[in-house]
Amino acid sequence: MTRTVLVTGSGRGLGSYIVKALSEKGFNVIINYNNSKEESEKLKKEIGAQAIAIQADITDREAVEQLVKKGTEHFGQIDVVVNNALVNFKFDPTTQKAFKDLTYKDYEQQLDGTLKAAFNVSQSVIPQFLERKDGAIISIGTNLYQNPVVPYHEYTTAKAALIGFTRNVAAELGQYGIRANVVSGGLLKTTDASAVTTPEVFDLIAQSTPLRKVTTPQDVANMVVYLCSEAADGVTGQNITVDGGLTMN
Protein backbone atom coordinates (compact mmCIF):
# COMPACT_ATOMS: atom_id res chain seq x y z
CA MET A 1 0.00 0.00 0.00
CA THR A 2 1.27 3.48 -0.92
CA ARG A 3 2.33 5.49 2.11
CA THR A 4 1.02 9.04 2.52
CA VAL A 5 3.26 11.73 4.02
CA LEU A 6 2.16 15.10 5.40
CA VAL A 7 4.97 17.66 5.13
CA THR A 8 4.44 20.97 6.92
CA GLY A 9 5.71 24.18 5.36
CA SER A 10 6.33 22.41 2.06
CA GLY A 11 5.20 24.91 -0.55
CA ARG A 12 8.74 26.21 -0.90
CA GLY A 13 12.25 25.88 0.51
CA LEU A 14 13.44 22.60 2.00
CA GLY A 15 9.86 21.33 2.25
CA SER A 16 9.41 21.49 -1.51
CA TYR A 17 12.54 19.37 -2.00
CA ILE A 18 11.16 16.85 0.48
CA VAL A 19 7.78 16.47 -1.22
CA LYS A 20 9.40 16.20 -4.66
CA ALA A 21 11.81 13.52 -3.43
CA LEU A 22 8.97 11.60 -1.76
CA SER A 23 6.74 11.75 -4.84
CA GLU A 24 9.60 10.50 -7.02
CA LYS A 25 9.81 7.43 -4.78
CA GLY A 26 6.08 6.78 -5.09
CA PHE A 27 4.74 8.32 -1.87
CA ASN A 28 1.53 10.33 -1.74
CA VAL A 29 2.26 13.81 -0.35
CA ILE A 30 0.19 16.38 1.49
CA ILE A 31 1.68 19.81 0.84
CA ASN A 32 0.95 22.10 3.78
CA TYR A 33 1.42 25.85 3.52
CA ASN A 34 0.38 28.96 5.38
CA ASN A 35 1.02 31.88 3.01
CA SER A 36 2.70 30.25 -0.01
CA LYS A 37 -0.47 29.38 -1.91
CA GLU A 38 0.86 30.10 -5.40
CA GLU A 39 4.04 28.07 -4.93
CA SER A 40 2.11 25.20 -3.32
CA GLU A 41 -0.47 24.98 -6.09
CA LYS A 42 2.29 25.03 -8.68
CA LEU A 43 4.10 22.22 -6.84
CA LYS A 44 0.89 20.22 -6.57
CA LYS A 45 0.30 20.58 -10.32
CA GLU A 46 3.89 19.53 -11.03
CA ILE A 47 3.58 16.35 -8.94
CA GLY A 48 0.07 15.42 -10.10
CA ALA A 49 -2.44 13.04 -8.53
CA GLN A 50 0.01 11.97 -5.82
CA ALA A 51 -0.25 15.41 -4.20
CA ILE A 52 -2.76 17.66 -2.50
CA ALA A 53 -2.09 21.16 -1.15
CA ILE A 54 -3.84 22.32 2.03
CA GLN A 55 -3.52 25.66 3.79
CA ALA A 56 -3.16 25.66 7.59
CA ASP A 57 -1.37 27.67 10.25
CA ILE A 58 0.24 24.82 12.16
CA THR A 59 0.50 26.86 15.37
CA ASP A 60 -3.33 26.82 15.41
CA ARG A 61 -4.56 23.47 16.77
CA GLU A 62 -8.00 23.74 15.19
CA ALA A 63 -6.47 24.47 11.78
CA VAL A 64 -4.17 21.48 12.18
CA GLU A 65 -7.10 19.20 13.02
CA GLN A 66 -8.78 20.30 9.78
CA LEU A 67 -5.53 19.80 7.85
CA VAL A 68 -5.24 16.23 9.10
CA LYS A 69 -8.93 15.56 8.46
CA LYS A 70 -8.80 16.81 4.87
CA GLY A 71 -5.57 14.96 4.10
CA THR A 72 -6.92 11.74 5.59
CA GLU A 73 -10.18 12.00 3.68
CA HIS A 74 -8.33 12.58 0.42
CA PHE A 75 -5.81 9.72 0.65
CA GLY A 76 -7.55 7.41 3.13
CA GLN A 77 -4.93 7.72 5.85
CA ILE A 78 -1.71 9.49 6.83
CA ASP A 79 1.29 7.26 7.47
CA VAL A 80 4.04 9.79 8.19
CA VAL A 81 4.27 13.42 9.26
CA VAL A 82 7.31 15.59 8.60
CA ASN A 83 7.52 18.61 10.90
CA ASN A 84 9.45 20.89 8.59
CA ALA A 85 7.85 24.36 8.77
CA LEU A 86 10.08 27.27 9.73
CA VAL A 87 8.35 30.36 11.12
CA ASN A 88 9.79 33.81 10.43
CA PHE A 89 13.51 33.17 10.65
CA LYS A 90 16.44 34.10 8.41
CA PHE A 91 19.99 32.83 8.78
CA ASP A 92 21.64 36.24 8.68
CA PRO A 93 24.42 36.80 11.24
CA THR A 94 24.42 40.53 10.47
CA THR A 95 20.84 40.95 11.71
CA GLN A 96 20.76 38.32 14.46
CA LYS A 97 20.14 39.95 17.83
CA ALA A 98 22.80 39.69 20.49
CA PHE A 99 21.67 37.84 23.61
CA LYS A 100 21.45 41.09 25.60
CA ASP A 101 18.95 42.44 23.06
CA LEU A 102 16.66 39.39 22.86
CA THR A 103 13.28 39.23 24.53
CA TYR A 104 11.51 36.09 25.61
CA LYS A 105 8.95 36.79 22.89
CA ASP A 106 11.71 36.09 20.36
CA TYR A 107 12.10 32.66 21.94
CA GLU A 108 8.35 32.13 22.11
CA GLN A 109 7.96 32.78 18.39
CA GLN A 110 10.47 30.06 17.54
CA LEU A 111 9.22 27.68 20.22
CA ASP A 112 5.68 28.05 18.87
CA GLY A 113 6.79 27.63 15.26
CA THR A 114 8.90 24.59 16.07
CA LEU A 115 7.78 22.81 19.25
CA LYS A 116 4.12 23.83 19.45
CA ALA A 117 3.68 23.13 15.73
CA ALA A 118 5.28 19.69 16.02
CA PHE A 119 3.09 18.96 19.05
CA ASN A 120 -0.07 20.02 17.22
CA VAL A 121 0.62 18.01 14.09
CA SER A 122 1.99 14.92 15.82
CA GLN A 123 -0.79 14.67 18.38
CA SER A 124 -3.45 15.19 15.68
CA VAL A 125 -2.33 12.11 13.72
CA ILE A 126 -1.64 9.90 16.73
CA PRO A 127 -5.20 8.46 16.98
CA GLN A 128 -4.97 6.89 13.52
CA PHE A 129 -1.38 5.77 14.17
CA LEU A 130 -2.50 4.03 17.37
CA GLU A 131 -5.45 2.43 15.62
CA ARG A 132 -3.18 0.91 12.95
CA LYS A 133 -0.22 0.39 15.30
CA ASP A 134 2.00 1.98 12.69
CA GLY A 135 3.23 5.45 11.82
CA ALA A 136 6.23 7.74 11.82
CA ILE A 137 7.02 11.28 12.94
CA ILE A 138 10.03 13.01 11.40
CA SER A 139 11.10 16.46 12.53
CA ILE A 140 13.64 18.77 10.93
CA GLY A 141 16.33 19.96 13.33
CA THR A 142 19.70 21.65 12.96
CA ASN A 143 23.36 20.85 13.61
CA LEU A 144 23.63 24.22 15.37
CA TYR A 145 22.33 22.63 18.58
CA GLN A 146 25.68 20.81 18.73
CA ASN A 147 27.94 23.39 17.12
CA PRO A 148 26.49 26.93 17.37
CA VAL A 149 29.02 28.54 15.04
CA VAL A 150 26.57 31.43 14.78
CA PRO A 151 24.56 31.93 18.01
CA TYR A 152 21.04 31.91 16.61
CA HIS A 153 19.81 31.72 20.20
CA GLU A 154 16.05 31.40 19.83
CA TYR A 155 16.13 29.17 16.74
CA THR A 156 18.71 26.74 18.09
CA THR A 157 17.01 26.51 21.49
CA ALA A 158 13.70 25.60 19.87
CA LYS A 159 15.34 22.95 17.70
CA ALA A 160 17.14 21.47 20.73
CA ALA A 161 13.76 21.18 22.46
CA LEU A 162 12.49 19.30 19.41
CA ILE A 163 15.04 16.55 20.04
CA GLY A 164 13.80 16.05 23.60
CA PHE A 165 10.21 16.04 22.36
CA THR A 166 11.04 13.42 19.72
CA ARG A 167 12.89 11.06 22.05
CA ASN A 168 10.09 11.08 24.59
CA VAL A 169 7.51 10.35 21.89
CA ALA A 170 9.70 7.53 20.57
CA ALA A 171 10.12 6.04 24.04
CA GLU A 172 6.40 6.04 24.83
CA LEU A 173 4.90 5.12 21.47
CA GLY A 174 7.41 2.61 20.16
CA GLN A 175 5.40 -0.19 21.75
CA TYR A 176 2.58 0.72 19.34
CA GLY A 177 4.79 0.57 16.25
CA ILE A 178 5.17 4.35 16.06
CA ARG A 179 8.61 5.77 15.26
CA ALA A 180 9.94 9.30 15.85
CA ASN A 181 13.21 10.75 14.57
CA VAL A 182 14.92 14.06 13.85
CA VAL A 183 16.92 14.94 10.74
CA SER A 184 19.35 17.78 11.50
CA GLY A 185 20.88 19.48 8.50
CA GLY A 186 23.66 21.98 8.33
CA LEU A 187 23.37 25.35 6.61
CA LEU A 188 21.72 24.46 3.31
CA LYS A 189 22.82 25.74 -0.07
CA THR A 190 20.42 27.26 -0.80
CA THR A 191 16.93 27.79 0.65
CA ASP A 192 14.91 30.94 1.32
CA ALA A 193 16.18 30.98 4.88
CA SER A 194 19.83 30.88 3.78
CA ALA A 195 19.45 33.19 0.77
CA VAL A 196 21.34 36.02 2.47
CA THR A 197 24.33 33.82 3.28
CA THR A 198 27.44 35.04 1.46
CA PRO A 199 29.57 32.84 -0.87
CA GLU A 200 32.48 33.31 1.54
CA VAL A 201 30.52 31.69 4.39
CA PHE A 202 29.48 28.78 2.19
CA ASP A 203 33.12 28.32 1.08
CA LEU A 204 34.31 28.36 4.70
CA ILE A 205 31.77 25.70 5.67
CA ALA A 206 32.68 23.55 2.66
CA GLN A 207 36.36 23.59 3.59
CA SER A 208 35.51 22.65 7.19
CA THR A 209 33.68 19.42 6.25
CA PRO A 210 35.33 16.06 5.50
CA LEU A 211 33.33 15.93 2.25
CA ARG A 212 34.46 19.45 1.28
CA LYS A 213 30.93 20.40 0.35
CA VAL A 214 27.99 22.33 1.73
CA THR A 215 24.88 20.30 2.50
CA THR A 216 22.10 20.71 -0.04
CA PRO A 217 18.34 20.56 0.51
CA GLN A 218 18.37 17.38 -1.58
CA ASP A 219 20.80 15.74 0.89
CA VAL A 220 18.34 16.32 3.73
CA ALA A 221 15.36 15.30 1.59
CA ASN A 222 17.05 11.99 0.77
CA MET A 223 17.41 11.16 4.47
CA VAL A 224 13.76 12.04 5.08
CA VAL A 225 12.72 9.70 2.25
CA TYR A 226 14.71 6.90 3.86
CA LEU A 227 13.07 7.45 7.26
CA CYS A 228 9.63 7.42 5.60
CA SER A 229 10.31 4.07 3.98
CA GLU A 230 9.93 0.53 5.28
CA ALA A 231 13.73 0.26 5.19
CA ALA A 232 13.82 2.47 8.31
CA ASP A 233 11.18 0.59 10.30
CA GLY A 234 13.83 -0.30 12.90
CA VAL A 235 15.01 3.29 13.43
CA THR A 236 13.51 5.45 16.19
CA GLY A 237 14.54 8.02 18.79
CA GLN A 238 17.46 9.19 16.67
CA ASN A 239 18.80 12.59 15.72
CA ILE A 240 20.48 11.99 12.38
CA THR A 241 22.81 14.78 11.31
CA VAL A 242 23.24 15.49 7.61
CA ASP A 243 25.99 18.10 7.30
CA GLY A 244 28.87 16.50 5.42
CA GLY A 245 30.55 15.47 8.66
CA LEU A 246 30.96 19.03 9.97
CA THR A 247 29.68 17.77 13.31
CA MET A 248 30.19 14.18 14.41
CA ASN A 249 28.18 12.39 17.11
Side-chain angles (χ1 to χ4, degrees):
M1 184 176 178
T2 302
R3 290 187 175 187
T4 296
V5 186
L6 163 60
V7 186
T8 66
S10 52
R12 57 190 176 90
L14 173 60
S16 67
Y17 282 87
I18 292 172
V19 296
K20 287 177 186 177
L22 286 165
S23 66
E24 288 169 2
K25 293 298 183 181
F27 291 87
N28 295 324
V29 290
I30 301 168
I31 302 165
N32 160 250
Y33 67 94
N34 190 18
N35 299 312
S36 306
K37 181 176 181 179
E38 185 176 344
E39 296 97 323
S40 300
E41 291 295 338
K42 182 180 178 181
L43 185 57
K44 170 192 169 185
K45 185 175 180 180
E46 179 183 333
I47 294 172
Q50 287 173 262
I52 184 174
I54 305 174
Q55 190 278 336
D57 175 356
I58 55 172
T59 64
D60 181 334
R61 180 57 179 263
E62 186 175 338
V64 170
E65 295 285 357
Q66 288 302 308
L67 165 65
V68 170
K69 181 181 178 182
K70 290 176 184 177
T72 301
E73 288 175 348
H74 186 83
F75 286 117
Q77 65 185 51
I78 296 173
D79 300 280
V80 185
V81 294
V82 180
N83 295 309
N84 164 77
L86 176 64
V87 177
N88 297 328
F89 195 83
K90 294 287 185 183
F91 298 104
D92 185 353
T94 65
T95 59
Q96 170 64 34
K97 293 180 182 178
F99 180 70
K100 67 182 178 60
D101 299 320
L102 286 166
T103 67
Y104 195 70
K105 284 190 176 180
D106 294 316
Y107 282 86
E108 284 183 329
Q109 183 178 54
Q110 290 307 306
L111 285 165
D112 282 354
T114 297
L115 190 58
K116 182 180 180 181
F119 171 82
N120 285 343
V121 176
S122 301
Q123 200 173 64
S124 295
V125 298
I126 283 300
Q128 58 179 287
F129 284 7
L130 289 170
E131 184 178 347
R132 295 193 306 270
K133 290 187 168 49
D134 185 48
I137 298 164
I138 302 166
S139 298
I140 302 300
T142 178
N143 67 349
L144 289 170
Y145 88 97
Q146 183 178 346
N147 184 32
V149 288
V150 177
Y152 294 120
H153 298 276
E154 64 275 41
Y155 169 82
T156 306
T157 300
K159 291 296 189 180
L162 194 60
I163 295 173
F165 168 81
T166 297
R167 288 177 171 162
N168 280 283
V169 168
E172 179 183 329
L173 300 179
Q175 62 186 310
Y176 305 110
I178 299 168
R179 299 181 296 113
N181 294 286
V182 177
V183 177
S184 291
L187 181 65
L188 303 181
K189 188 177 182 181
T190 305
T191 64
D192 294 341
S194 64
V196 297
T197 303
T198 64
E200 291 77 15
V201 171
F202 279 127
D203 288 342
L204 177 63
I205 291 173
Q207 293 307 309
S208 301
T209 69
L211 294 179
R212 299 296 188 268
K213 66 185 286 288
V214 178
T215 307
T216 67
Q218 191 63 51
D219 292 330
V220 175
N222 291 341
M223 179 55 68
V224 172
V225 171
Y226 165 69
L227 290 173
C228 288
S229 73
E230 293 180 1
D233 279 354
V235 182
T236 196
Q238 303 304 309
N239 175 44
I240 301 173
T241 306
V242 182
D243 66 358
L246 182 63
T247 59
M248 297 187 183
N249 292 318

